Amino acid sequence: IQKIAGGTVSTIGTVNGSVRGITFDAANGMLYITTQSPGDIYTMSATGGAATLFASNVGSGNLRGLVFDNGNLYVSDTNSGHANGAIYEFLGGTSSSSTLFASNLQGPNYIAVDSVGDLYIAQYFGNDVEEFSDTGLDLGAYITGLQGPSGIAIEPSATSVPEPSTAGLMSLFAA
């Protein structure tokens, strides 16, 4: 895991497995990191050090994106398939047991949350961005006709304007 600060890159720690996603929980100053196969989630202090296993064997094990909203952690599992991906929710972001938040997704890669708590999921095989309310209600496709969106970010000043990336890179906005 590398930290980039002031143009300087430094390695702050390692985790077992192939890292696929990372997010920061401002409430506790911890990084949460997903891996692929067997589908583990690790935590690590943002200052570095040893990684701690938070949850193991989540879903199919093909974890990708993760994001915090209102203290809850959401993690995407692509399941390497076209119609059987899922989003798992860890209530409070501290319990290592998850509940199924959304299923039957088409290769959910990365997740973003807007200021009202709606989740946006870049569906690689669905070629769209699916929107869910914070209660788990599927609000349908926010945008369609994309070519394998992999990353997604929301402009900080917007309430619900996701920007999908079709090049596999996350769009970055600065306000």
Side-chain angles (χ1 to χ4, degrees):
I1 305 299
Q2 295 179 313
K3 182 176 183 175
I4 304 160
T8 302
V9 178
S10 57
T11 299
I12 63 168
T14 60
V15 297
N16 294 325
S18 298
V19 173
R20 293 293 184 235
I22 188 168
T23 194
F24 177 70
D25 180 12
N28 67 16
M30 299 294 286
L31 297 170
Y32 286 71
I33 303 138
T34 58
T35 64
Q36 178 179 341
S37 187
D40 294 337
I41 302 171
Y42 289 88
T43 60
M44 175 187 293
S45 168
T47 59
T52 302
L53 184 63
F54 173 75
S56 60
N57 299 306
V58 176
S60 75
N62 200 1
L63 304 183
R64 288 288 192 263
L66 64 172
V67 68
F68 272 93
D69 184 46
N70 292 323
N72 297 328
L73 176 65
Y74 298 89
V75 179
S76 66
D77 175 14
T78 67
N79 201 13
S80 299
H82 292 273
N84 51 3
I87 304 294
Y88 293 94
E89 178 180 33
F90 293 84
L91 297 175
T94 57
S95 169
S96 61
S97 76
S98 64
T99 58
L100 185 63
F101 180 79
S103 61
N104 299 316
L105 300 174
Q106 299 177 12
N109 271 316
Y110 296 95
I111 312 165
V113 177
D114 69 14
S115 63
V116 297
D118 288 350
L119 275 72
Y120 297 84
I121 297 120
Q123 295 192 103
Y124 185 82
F125 296 115
N127 295 314
D128 67 3
V129 173
E130 192 77 8
E131 181 180 7
F132 285 84
S133 74
D134 61 348
T135 62
L137 177 65
D138 186 347
L139 301 174
Y142 182 81
I143 188 168
T144 62
L146 304 173
Q147 296 298 311
S150 293
I152 188 167
I154 295 178
E155 187 173 9
S157 62
T159 56
S160 59
V161 185
E163 282 294 325
S165 166
T166 58
L169 299 174
M170 183 177 234
S171 299
L172 178 64
F173 296 90

